[in-house]
């Protein structure tokens, strides 16, 4: 080896590892006399501002080593990306809206949790808009909500999702949307569908297999498409077992605890009294529990109860409630993911059918009838 080729002591090669070490030192010595900016992150990471922006927006076009360095610097110096600047750079607001008119609070909470999970992963935020379809200002309020918030897209929860006039408002505004519903009401790109029929049919199969013949049914409100789907499927499945659901054994509730109490009082004070009641959601089933207790009717010895949704209350009731699991969090997550893909690609992607299936969960509240 010649003298020129020998390594020069004290002057190590500045490779990637050395650059990372330098970054760490510079970041630690950051002074907090002003908030750090994206330019500071780019300078410390020895990359362009565009590369930092790609990392912030979770672009796949950045290698993992660079991504790790940039994320480390962001965390060290406490840089918080400006939503306004991000929106200007991408000509988007990174805001999704959730429009709902539904009396079942737990259903909305579960949907919202699913939407938020998808938003967090994609760097979006969620704005909610409770509405009242009975109000004369319903459509105008929805329009102003989308315009005021400058939303990139909207997720619409039933029964509002079943309103064709609301859909027309969103189309006129050029706002992308995804509708949740028990049936397909739109192009596949705009729908996430949940299959209520299968779950309701499984309830009928379960009650028939246990030997119940005097069965009461608490339907959901008629303005909800899900109420029709659950009722039609339940009645049809009972018929296949030679069981007729008598008209006097049917009450219409409102998907609320209180309506469950009222409907159960009517059913349980009739003769002959039903040996089983299927309530179209868990809130109404909980109302049946309260009424049965008030009337001195033992669950499940004297009365079998089945609900629908598998909300948290199903396992908090005693005895625990047999119900149908509707994965509402998955519904929200799938809707948000579908919408975000379309927004981020600026194309009408996500056009394939998306949906979830409801399944029966047997617990302690359902047993064969006495005698």
């Amino acid at each position: 080896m010649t003298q020129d080729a020998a390594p020069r002591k004290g002057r190590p090669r500045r490779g990637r590892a050395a650059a990372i070490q330098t970054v760490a030192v510079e970041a630690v010595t950051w002074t907090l006399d002003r908030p750090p900016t994206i330019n500071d992150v780019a300078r410390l990471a020895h990359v362009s501002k565009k590369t930092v922006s790609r990392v912030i927006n979770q672009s796949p076009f950045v290698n993992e080593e660079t991504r790790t360095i940039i994320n480390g610097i962001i965390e060290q110096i406490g840089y918080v990306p400006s939503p306004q600047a991000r929106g200007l750079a991408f000509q988007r607001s990174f805001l999704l809206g959730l429009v709902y008119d539904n009396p079942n609070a737990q259903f909305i909470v579960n949907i919202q949790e699913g939407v938020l999970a998808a938003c967090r992963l994609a760097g979006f935020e969620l704005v909610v808009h409770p509405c009242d379809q009975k109000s004369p200002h319903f459509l105008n309020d929805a329009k102003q909500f989308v315009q005021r918030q400058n939303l990139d897209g909207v997720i619409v929860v039933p029964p509002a999702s079943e309103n064709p006039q609301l859909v027309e408002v969103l189309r006129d505004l050029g706002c992308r949307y995804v509708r949740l519903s028990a049936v397909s009401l739109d192009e596949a790109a705009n729908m996430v569908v949940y299959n209520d029929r299968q779950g309701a049919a499984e309830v009928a199969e379960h009650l028939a297999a246990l030997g119940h013949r005097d069965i009461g049914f608490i339907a959901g409100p008629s303005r909800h498409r899900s109420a029709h789907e659950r009722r039609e499927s339940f009645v049809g499945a009972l018929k296949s077992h030679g069981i007729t659901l008598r008209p006097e054994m049917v009450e219409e509730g409102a998907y609320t605890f209180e309506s469950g109490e009222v409907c159960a009082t009517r059913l349980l004070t009739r003769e002959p009294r039903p040996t089983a009641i299927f309530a179209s959601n868990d809130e109404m089933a909980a109302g049946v529990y309260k009424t049965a207790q008030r009337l001195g009717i033992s669950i499940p010895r004297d009365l079998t109860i089945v609900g629908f949704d598998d909300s948290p209350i199903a396992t908090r009731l005693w005895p625990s409630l047999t119900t149908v699991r509707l994965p509402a969090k998955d519904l929200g997550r799938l809707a948000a993911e579908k919408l975000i893909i379309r927004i981020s690609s600026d194309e009408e992607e996500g056009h394939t059918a998306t949906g979830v299936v409801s399944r029966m969960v047997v617990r302690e509240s359902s047993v064969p009838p006495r005698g």
Side-chain angles (χ1 to χ4, degrees):
M1 181 181 292
T2 64
Q3 187 175 0
D4 289 340
R8 287 173 282 183
K9 295 181 179 179
R11 299 182 62 185
R13 273 183 70 219
R14 285 188 55 81
R16 194 67 175 166
I20 294 172
Q21 187 177 19
T22 302
V23 165
V25 172
E26 289 186 66
V28 168
T29 57
W30 171 262
T31 56
L32 297 177
D33 57 335
R34 63 174 176 79
T37 67
I38 192 172
N39 291 322
D40 296 317
V41 177
R43 175 178 58 80
L44 291 168
H46 303 288
V47 297
S48 68
K49 186 167 74 171
K50 187 173 184 179
T51 299
V52 176
S53 180
R54 283 176 173 166
V55 170
I56 292 169
N57 292 290
Q58 302 180 23
S59 168
F61 304 113
V62 181
N63 70 62
E64 284 306 310
E65 186 178 31
T66 302
R67 187 186 304 277
T68 300
I69 292 170
I70 292 172
N71 281 330
I73 292 169
I74 288 172
E75 184 176 352
Q76 277 187 292
I77 69 176
Y79 169 64
V80 179
S82 163
Q84 292 81 7
R86 185 177 178 226
L88 287 171
F90 287 86
Q91 296 185 324
R92 299 189 206 119
S93 66
F94 292 91
L95 292 176
L96 298 186
L98 183 70
V99 175
Y100 64 90
D101 174 21
N102 192 300
N104 188 343
Q106 188 60 57
F107 180 70
I108 297 301
V109 167
N110 290 345
I111 292 287
Q112 195 167 307
E113 286 182 6
V115 173
L116 285 170
C119 285
R120 278 192 292 268
L121 289 174
F124 278 71
E125 301 292 338
L126 179 66
V127 188
V128 299
H129 178 67
C131 60
D132 180 5
Q133 292 188 80
K134 298 175 185 176
S135 167
H137 308 294
F138 163 63
L139 293 175
N140 189 55
D141 286 349
K143 180 178 180 179
Q144 289 186 3
F145 168 64
V146 174
Q147 292 176 321
R148 186 169 56 248
Q149 301 292 341
N150 190 29
L151 300 175
D152 286 333
V154 171
I155 296 165
V156 194
V157 179
S161 62
E162 297 153 11
N163 188 310
Q165 293 174 301
L166 174 60
V167 173
E168 282 303 313
V169 167
L170 296 174
R171 286 175 179 161
D172 290 344
L173 291 172
C175 180
R176 290 182 174 89
Y177 63 87
V178 169
R179 304 161 74 179
L180 305 181
S181 179
V183 294
S184 184
L185 303 170
D186 207 324
E187 298 174 7
N190 301 323
M191 292 298 309
V192 172
V193 179
Y194 48 96
N195 187 346
D196 278 350
R197 284 183 168 269
Q198 181 168 337
E202 286 186 14
V203 174
E205 298 280 346
H206 178 63
L207 295 179
L210 289 174
H212 290 281
R213 293 295 180 269
D214 295 319
I215 299 170
F217 177 59
I218 303 179
S222 57
R223 69 190 184 97
H224 288 242
R225 190 61 179 261
S226 62
H228 295 281
E229 293 295 301
R230 295 173 191 183
R231 180 172 183 162
E232 289 174 9
S233 180
F234 182 61
V235 171
L238 285 178
K239 279 184 179 178
S240 70
H241 288 276
I243 303 171
T244 300
L245 186 64
R246 302 193 303 274
E248 65 271 19
M249 288 294 189
V250 178
E251 294 288 341
E252 181 177 317
Y255 282 157
T256 62
F257 176 87
E258 293 77 13
S259 69
E261 283 187 273
V262 171
C263 292
T265 299
R266 292 172 184 159
L267 290 172
L268 294 175
T269 52
R270 288 185 181 139
E271 291 294 341
R273 193 175 71 198
T275 61
I277 292 178
F278 172 34
S280 291
N281 78 342
D282 293 346
E283 284 289 321
M284 293 194 297
V288 179
Y289 269 65
K290 183 176 179 181
T291 299
Q293 183 183 36
R294 178 171 56 82
L295 296 175
I297 298 171
S298 174
I299 304 168
R301 187 188 65 186
D302 302 324
L303 178 67
T304 279
I305 302 177
V306 179
F308 203 109
D309 284 343
D310 197 24
S311 60
I313 197 173
T315 54
R316 293 170 186 165
L317 291 168
W318 186 84
S320 59
L321 178 66
T322 294
T323 186
V324 175
R325 177 171 294 158
L326 177 62
K329 290 181 184 179
D330 289 343
L331 278 174
R333 177 182 55 80
L334 288 169
E337 288 174 350
K338 193 167 196 172
L339 194 53
I340 289 167
I341 287 173
R342 292 170 57 201
I343 293 166
S344 301
S345 65
D346 289 321
E347 296 177 7
E348 293 305 305
E349 294 185 13
H351 59 275
T352 56
T354 308
V356 299
V357 176
S358 53
R359 295 290 186 185
M360 184 122 184
V361 181
V362 178
R363 296 195 179 100
E364 299 168 327
S365 68
S366 57
V367 298
R370 293 177 69 185

